Amino acid sequence: MGVEEPLSRMPQMRLDELLEELQARINAARGTRDRVHSLLEAVVSVGRELDLSQVLRRIVEAAALLVDAQYAALGVIGPDGRTLSQFLTVGLTEEEIAKIGPLPAGHGILGELIRNPEPLRLTDLGAHEASYGFPAHHPPMRTFLGVPIRVRDEVFGNLYLTDKRGGMDFDAEDESVISTLSVAAGVAIDNARLYEGSQRQQRWLQANAEITNSLLSGSPRLEVLELIARRAQEITGAALADVSVPVAGTDDLVVELAIGADGETRRGLVVPVAGTLSGAAYQAGAPVTTAGLAQDDRYTAGPRRFDGLGPAVAVPLGTAVKDTRGVLLLARHEAEPVFTEGELDPLLAFAGQAALALELAARRSDAEQLALLEDRDRIARDLHDLAIQRLFATGMTLQSAARLVQHEGAAERVSRAVGDLDETIKIIRSTIFGLRAREEDSGPSLRARVARAVGEAATTLGFPPRLSMEGLLDTDVPPQVAEHVVAALTETLSNAARHAHASRVEVSLQATNDEVVLTVTDNGRGIPAEGRRSGLRNLEERATGVAGTLRVERPTEGGSRLVWRAPLAPRRDGS
């Protein structure tokens, strides 16, 4: 009996083994069924979206879920085909990402998949010859699965998955699942890009129509430029949009309009053509792009005002180098997509609209200037032929009547009225000279020369100074004194641009009965007592040369105030 009992248990043991094997197969089939179901759900979920950023986010999230990976990432290959322009992650918190620092550019293991776009499975990614190790604060990772994503036979990017949960390695089935997902992802990305392109094209057409209506309605030049920059910023998703125009007679550009990030500080900024992105587009007469504006070693000239900005494009406003009237600069935040070829074509057409706006504005300005000059000639002629003659006749009549007035007080009042009429005639004559001043003959006019000097100083200061003028500057200030006034003003503004670091400069020029007074005030850092004073010595020598004075003041609100005075020559009436 003892021998027969173990023999009787043999069929029972075999039956249990068969049942266990059958259960395992059932579980495997159920697991395969569930995984296939999850894969189909992921494919449907990815294909449902039309917004490209949302599509990419769903792809990387679905990939991590399908293979039970702790970390997942999707890297989009940039236009150069060698580096990553976008990097979306799953499994890392915002704090961890911030501690790690800049996002990967596509070196090491990530670059291996760019150079060889084939699925890659590793048991220990640190042991691979292409591994560079991890940066500081990066979590440790061991197992690795990488699969490329192709869109119409072109590699769009790569899926990277690390650390399968449970300490297991990624297997061939995981690779097959992610490869299947990558095919669906390629179709979804293509659809999203086509939809995004059609939507963007529609927005460009609407913006062009809006700008055309603005041009035809006679809107001011700066208003049309702001509309162009704002619409370009909105459609491209740029953080900054500015328009730079050339400064006549120099190799510089001045930012005439800026909206978005740091727009207020960029407006009025003077930048060189050489060594800047806008300058490169201006010289080439063609669009120029960069993947990182703040870090690009090619464009380091001028003040650094692009912190936090990354991909950028500069588009010339014109159809040829010689016709370029300015440059439209658009810049996105760091880690955002670079500007693609598909975005540059509508941008060029849009820039053509901007060039047309500038051309029409210039022609309209010329026509308005011509009409203004003609109107000034008419006003000056009427003042000379009618007003001055009548005032002169009235003065002669009062002078004749004064001899007949016996009362001493009344006679004095009549004489004073004659003097007032004489002063009025001089003021009108000064006004006539100012009205008739032309660009080509504005040299002898002190008012015109001062206005021109202040206007030219805007390019070096980075902003236009405020100017006010009073008195008979064109009639009472002798030519030799006027020369010193202009020279003193030019040197004072130059010193303010080089040393003051001011954001506001005010210029006041006044001619009284006895002297001409030039006052230049700024809100800069003031004139240090131990600093170089060669510029002040020149101003003092000029004042002394015409028997005048120079006074340097420090206003209570900060900055500096220079008061340059010179006496006028004795007047003809002896006063």
Side-chain angles (χ1 to χ4, degrees):
M1 295 294 294
V3 175
E4 292 178 358
E5 185 176 355
L7 291 176
S8 64
R9 291 182 179 178
M10 294 276 297
Q12 182 69 33
M13 292 175 62
R14 289 177 182 175
L15 181 59
D16 291 342
E17 292 175 357
L18 289 174
L19 289 175
E20 289 177 1
E21 183 178 353
L22 179 60
Q23 185 65 42
R25 289 180 180 272
I26 292 174
N27 291 337
R30 183 181 293 115
T32 302
R33 183 198 64 187
D34 293 343
R35 197 165 198 183
V36 170
H37 183 69
S38 298
L39 177 59
L40 290 176
E41 283 186 343
V43 169
V44 173
S45 174
V46 167
R48 188 183 296 122
E49 292 290 341
L50 286 176
D51 181 77
L52 183 57
S53 61
Q54 291 298 322
V55 169
L56 298 180
R57 173 57 59 182
R58 283 188 179 271
I59 290 171
V60 68
E61 290 174 349
L65 184 64
L66 284 173
V67 297
D68 204 18
Q70 185 175 357
Y71 303 106
L74 192 157
V76 179
I77 299 176
D80 60 1
R82 299 187 303 272
T83 58
L84 299 176
S85 60
Q86 273 185 280
F87 198 77
L88 290 80
T89 62
V90 168
L92 294 173
T93 65
E94 293 295 332
E95 292 76 11
E96 289 175 324
I97 294 174
K99 286 182 179 180
I100 294 172
L103 295 175
H107 304 296
I109 292 293
L110 305 185
E112 181 69 19
L113 223 63
I114 297 175
R115 294 184 292 272
N116 302 301
E118 297 294 337
L120 178 65
R121 274 187 294 127
L122 299 173
T123 302
D124 185 1
L125 62 85
H128 195 277
E129 59 182 8
S131 178
Y132 283 1
F134 298 111
H137 307 292
H138 195 288
M141 297 178 181
R142 187 180 66 84
T143 56
F144 176 84
L145 172 61
V147 176
I149 299 176
R150 287 181 169 85
V151 177
R152 297 193 181 190
D153 296 329
E154 292 185 2
V155 179
F156 172 83
N158 299 304
L159 275 170
Y160 307 105
L161 300 118
T162 60
D163 287 6
K164 187 177 178 70
R165 297 182 190 277
M168 302 174 63
D169 293 339
F170 293 106
D171 55 23
E173 188 176 341
D174 293 327
E175 180 181 321
S176 177
V177 168
I178 297 301
S179 296
T180 303
L181 177 66
S182 71
V183 174
V187 176
I189 291 170
D190 192 29
N191 290 337
R193 292 201 301 187
L194 289 174
Y195 177 77
E196 191 177 76
S198 64
Q199 291 293 102
R200 187 168 54 243
Q201 185 66 27
Q202 181 66 24
R203 294 182 68 186
W204 282 122
L205 291 174
Q206 292 175 352
N208 282 331
E210 186 178 2
I211 291 167
T212 300
N213 291 336
S214 180
L215 288 171
L216 295 178
S217 64
S219 299
R221 171 180 176 276
L222 198 59
E223 186 176 311
V224 176
L225 277 183
E226 182 177 358
L227 177 62
I228 290 170
R230 194 168 297 282
R231 292 296 175 265
Q233 180 197 27
E234 293 171 354
I235 295 173
T236 61
L240 169 69
D242 70 36
V243 177
S244 303
V245 296
V247 179
T250 70
D251 292 329
D252 296 328
L253 298 173
V254 59
V255 179
E256 187 173 15
L257 176 75
I259 56 176
D262 208 23
E264 289 297 325
T265 56
R266 283 189 58 77
R267 191 177 296 117
L269 187 67
V270 178
V271 297
V273 170
T276 60
L277 187 69
S278 296
Y282 178 76
Q283 286 182 320
V288 179
T289 61
T290 178
L293 187 58
Q295 297 84 23
D296 200 320
D297 295 336
R298 296 173 297 173
Y299 311 116
T300 57
R304 303 301 296 169
R305 294 177 180 265
F306 298 113
D307 292 339
L309 297 178
V313 60
V315 185
L317 306 180
T319 56
V321 177
K322 63 180 180 179
D323 298 329
T324 301
R325 291 181 167 271
V327 179
L328 171 64
L329 173 70
L330 299 168
R332 290 171 174 156
H333 286 300
E334 288 180 334
E336 291 190 356
V338 298
F339 287 88
T340 63
E341 290 294 331
E343 292 178 294
L344 292 184
D345 291 338
L347 257 180
L348 281 173
F350 206 64
Q353 286 286 95
L356 178 61
L358 291 172
E359 182 70 22
L360 290 179
R363 295 291 179 266
R364 188 182 298 125
S365 178
D366 290 342
E368 291 174 353
Q369 185 68 15
L370 181 61
L372 177 62
L373 292 176
E374 290 176 349
D375 201 35
R376 284 182 174 182
D377 280 343
R378 179 187 60 77
I379 295 172
R381 185 170 57 252
D382 291 346
L383 286 174
H384 182 270
D385 295 343
L386 300 176
I388 289 182
Q389 302 301 329
R390 287 176 177 271
L391 289 173
F392 186 75
T394 303
M396 294 291 291
T397 301
L398 288 175
Q399 279 185 327
S400 299
R403 301 189 185 95
L404 305 177
V405 176
Q406 301 297 326
H407 190 277
E408 183 177 352
E412 183 180 352
R413 290 185 179 182
V414 171
S415 298
R416 191 181 309 124
V418 172
D420 291 342
L421 287 175
D422 185 41
E423 286 297 321
T424 303
I425 291 173
K426 288 184 178 182
I427 292 174
I428 293 176
R429 282 176 175 170
S430 177
T431 303
I432 292 173
F433 292 154
L435 289 172
R436 287 182 170 172
R438 296 290 198 277
E439 186 68 24
E440 61 270 13
D441 61 359
S442 60
S445 169
L446 179 57
R447 284 179 177 269
R449 294 170 68 186
V450 168
R452 177 182 294 179
V454 171
E456 291 174 348
T459 60
T460 54
L461 287 168
F463 56 87
R466 295 180 58 183
L467 172 64
S468 64
M469 292 184 282
E470 299 180 21
L472 304 178
L473 296 170
D474 295 333
T475 56
D476 283 7
V477 180
Q480 66 273 18
V481 177
E483 290 292 336
H484 287 287
V485 168
V486 175
L489 173 62
T490 303
E491 185 157 359
T492 303
L493 292 175
S494 176
N495 291 338
R498 289 199 305 265
H499 308 301
H501 299 281
S503 60
R504 187 183 73 252
V505 174
E506 298 180 0
V507 177
S508 171
L509 183 62
Q510 182 182 22
T512 66
N513 290 338
D514 304 316
E515 61 181 356
V516 58
V517 183
L518 171 66
T519 305
V520 180
T521 307
D522 66 67
N523 66 343
R525 60 185 184 183
I527 300 175
E530 67 280 0
R532 297 179 58 186
R533 305 183 66 85
S534 57
L536 293 179
R537 278 200 303 271
N538 293 337
L539 293 173
E540 289 173 346
E541 290 173 359
R542 287 190 178 278
T544 304
V546 289
T549 60
L550 172 69
R551 187 173 73 253
V552 180
E553 302 175 353
R554 295 186 178 181
T556 55
E557 62 273 15
S560 62
R561 180 184 295 117
L562 276 73
V563 183
W564 192 95
R565 300 174 179 271
L568 302 177
R571 298 169 54 140
R572 293 183 179 179
D573 59 2
S575 60

